[in-house]
């Protein structure tokens, strides 16, 4: 059985972001049931030198839907998110990313193989092929940030 770029990226992103929708909903219920303001989680970090929950959710989106857009456009810049997003906005951002990913056809994503893309951070630029970038850079970062967001939420019950 052959695995396509679509299978290894977009389909996986959809599945995991769907799980994020679930744990964000469950987290909301926990906070509401325990009279804890939803805003309390937004700046929570596992360690003081790590980026907060809000960023972890937005980075997972950035390394999924925005990564595919970056490859399509030829340049990917790291996502920094919107520092004013509240919990409901994060839920909406995840839902929008899922919708964007579901709109891609397998042929559209598979066509990104061999496409040149540059990872740009500040003045530094690192060249990749589309599949190299998605499979070796974005996929690892996506899983890291999704898992970290879950871990932060779990740390609060």
């Amino acid at each position: 059985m052959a695995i396509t770029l679509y299978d290894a990226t977009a389909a996986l992103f959809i599945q995991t972001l769907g799980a994020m929708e679930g744990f964000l909903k469950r987290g909301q219920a926990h906070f509401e049931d325990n009279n804890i303001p939803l805003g309390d989680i937004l700046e929570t970090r596992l360690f003081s030198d790590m980026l907060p929950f809000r960023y972890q959710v937005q980075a997972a989106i950035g390394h999924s839907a925005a990564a595919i857009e970056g490859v399509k456009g030829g340049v990917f810049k790291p996502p920094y998110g919107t520092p004013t997003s509240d919990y409901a906005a994060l839920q909406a951002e995840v839902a929008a990313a899922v919708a964007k990913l579901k709109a891609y056809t397998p042929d559209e994503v598979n066509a990104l193989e061999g496409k040149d893309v540059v990872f740009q951070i500040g003045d530094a630029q690192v060249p990749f092929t589309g599949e190299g970038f998605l499979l070796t850079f974005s996929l690892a970062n996506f899983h890291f940030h999704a898992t970290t967001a879950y871990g932060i939420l779990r740390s609060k019950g």
Side-chain angles (χ1 to χ4, degrees):
M1 173 174 89
I3 302 282
T4 67
L5 187 59
Y6 178 87
D7 297 331
T9 60
L12 183 144
F13 295 151
I14 291 165
Q15 179 183 16
T16 303
L17 288 174
M20 285 185 78
E21 287 179 307
F23 74 65
L24 288 171
K25 184 176 180 179
R26 191 165 177 196
Q28 178 182 5
H30 170 77
F31 283 104
E32 289 172 352
D33 290 349
N34 291 284
N35 296 317
I36 302 168
L38 280 170
D40 285 2
I41 190 71
L42 298 175
E43 294 303 315
T44 300
R45 303 162 190 255
L46 291 177
F47 295 98
S48 62
D49 64 349
M50 286 184 78
L51 290 164
F53 176 77
R54 176 190 349 249
Y55 177 86
Q56 302 301 331
V57 172
Q58 292 173 326
I61 294 165
H63 285 290
S64 57
I68 290 175
E69 285 296 312
V71 173
K72 286 176 66 177
V75 177
F76 176 83
K77 295 179 182 180
Y80 291 105
T82 305
T84 58
S85 290
D86 62 13
Y87 200 92
L90 292 176
Q91 289 176 299
E93 291 167 19
V94 171
V98 170
K100 181 181 282 190
L101 288 161
K102 285 182 175 180
Y104 292 125
T105 66
D107 288 342
E108 186 177 6
V109 174
N110 294 335
L112 299 176
E113 288 186 41
K115 183 167 176 36
D116 290 332
V117 62
V118 172
F119 167 69
Q120 183 175 339
I121 185 163
D123 293 333
Q125 295 186 350
V126 181
F128 285 92
T129 62
E131 69 274 16
F133 175 75
L134 290 170
L135 295 173
T136 67
F137 185 81
S138 278
L139 196 58
N141 277 284
F142 170 73
H143 285 298
F144 172 82
H145 292 294
T147 301
T148 303
Y150 176 78
I152 292 170
L153 200 56
R154 284 292 292 140
S155 77
K156 296 299 181 185

